[in-house]
Amino acid sequence: MRAVDPSDESLAGEFHLQSAPRGWLLQTPESPPRLFRKPTRLVQSLEYAAIRLALDDSQSCILHAALMSRPQGSLAILGPCRSGKSTLSLGLWQAGWTWHCDDSCELVEGPPSECLPLRRRVSLRTGSQSNLEPELQQSIQASPGFVATRKGWHFHPDQLPGCSPVHPPPLRGFVLLSGRRGEAPRRRDPIAALRALMPHSNAARRSLQEGLRRLSPWAGSLPLLQMNRQPLPQMVDHLEQFLHSLSQDSQGEPRSRTYRQRRLLP
């Protein structure tokens, strides 16, 4: 998993932290020194600054996406703001999936090619907390990294009892949430998949040519499922079927960089 290691000498000069009479002074690459009186706010600011540092890396290809997995594979879930990424991730997590991240993941060219989460606490808005069982709410609030803010909760899913950090299995596909209600989920062709990935990538923001170069191999080899807003249990069930079909397709087959048309979900 990609994370910023404070002992990494390559980061010297990027972050500067010192104690102050009433708290801590933090200076990041994009901001002047700022005073933090609460350690929870300081840690939260460091998390977001580390993500921004990764996004500014000219060699990176990072998607604004949640990363969820089962043992047979991972799915990257993309969508515009308030399209339901965190709510769907929460539903999958409660159904037994591993929740690696809810905001940013990096596409790493192989061999082996893989998708890695950029580690920070997941963010759960106040309106989504009603989707949690009471016992799970208590476990989240008791976890070491839990912080409550005016907008919601921040926590590490792998800090809950019975959970632990795991390396994500191979990426099997992408899921695009539209945030609108409408037709049933459908798989998109490679050109439509590439167009869907581009707005959510820092590589495409650097230049159109860079986005095409970095994302075309992924859009050409992995399917993308477009989903409209539906009841949460129904969306979770669709993704269970989607991943199951992809893991069956991959059994006994070498991973190819050529797109193969697959059947639509019912």
Side-chain angles (χ1 to χ4, degrees):
M1 297 181 183
R2 176 160 174 164
V4 172
D5 181 357
S7 64
D8 188 346
E9 295 182 357
S10 67
L11 297 177
E14 298 286 2
F15 295 89
H16 183 67
L17 178 66
Q18 66 181 56
S19 59
R22 293 183 295 171
W24 298 267
L25 281 174
L26 173 66
Q27 182 175 359
T28 65
E30 73 281 349
S31 67
R34 180 183 172 190
L35 178 66
F36 290 88
R37 293 187 174 87
K38 296 182 179 180
T40 53
R41 295 294 300 274
L42 171 63
V43 171
Q44 187 177 353
S45 182
L46 278 167
E47 286 179 323
Y48 282 93
I51 295 291
R52 289 193 292 270
L53 188 65
L55 289 169
D56 290 340
D57 182 355
S58 62
Q59 302 302 312
S60 69
C61 183
I62 295 171
L63 293 178
H64 178 53
L67 185 64
M68 305 295 301
S69 77
R70 282 225 184 255
Q72 61 265 43
S74 301
L75 294 178
I77 304 174
L78 310 98
C81 183
R82 297 189 178 275
S83 60
K85 292 189 300 295
S86 293
T87 301
L88 178 56
S89 299
L90 179 65
L92 292 168
W93 184 47
Q94 292 187 98
W97 293 55
T98 299
W99 196 352
H100 299 280
C101 68
D102 73 339
D103 185 74
S104 302
C105 50
E106 183 173 11
L107 297 175
V108 181
E109 297 176 0
S113 297
E114 54 186 347
C115 184
L116 301 178
L118 270 64
R119 288 273 293 166
R120 73 163 177 81
R121 287 169 292 184
V122 302
S123 176
L124 192 63
R125 292 190 179 92
T126 302
S128 298
Q129 294 166 13
S130 60
N131 294 313
L132 291 166
E133 296 292 335
E135 296 81 2
L136 187 53
Q137 292 189 32
Q138 295 174 7
S139 294
I140 290 173
Q141 291 172 310
S143 62
F146 172 79
V147 172
T149 68
R150 289 177 297 176
K151 295 183 178 180
W153 291 351
H154 298 269
F155 65 97
H156 282 299
D158 55 33
Q159 289 184 341
L160 270 67
C163 302
S164 60
V166 296
H167 192 86
L171 186 66
R172 299 297 186 196
F174 303 98
V175 179
L176 176 65
L177 303 180
S178 68
R180 303 186 301 270
R181 298 187 182 276
E183 59 188 22
R186 58 183 179 130
R187 298 194 195 185
R188 305 304 305 271
D189 62 70
I191 299 300
L194 180 58
R195 292 178 61 187
L197 294 176
M198 290 282 281
H200 302 281
S201 165
N202 69 330
R205 287 195 289 272
R206 289 196 294 267
S207 72
L208 175 62
Q209 182 179 6
E210 178 72 359
L212 292 172
R213 183 181 71 83
R214 300 295 294 272
L215 295 172
S216 291
W218 297 91
S221 62
L222 297 178
L224 181 141
L225 182 72
Q226 182 174 325
M227 294 184 69
N228 293 311
R229 190 180 293 276
Q230 297 173 320
L232 184 57
Q234 191 172 347
M235 297 179 74
V236 169
D237 186 57
H238 278 306
L239 292 195
E240 294 277 15
Q241 294 180 52
F242 182 50
L243 182 58
H244 179 70
S245 68
L246 298 180
S247 61
Q248 283 192 325
D249 289 348
S250 65
Q251 288 178 2
E253 296 181 9
R255 187 175 179 185
S256 171
R257 292 311 249 184
T258 344
Y259 178 81
R260 296 182 180 181
Q261 186 66 42
R262 297 180 171 93
R263 62 187 181 279
L264 296 177
L265 285 171

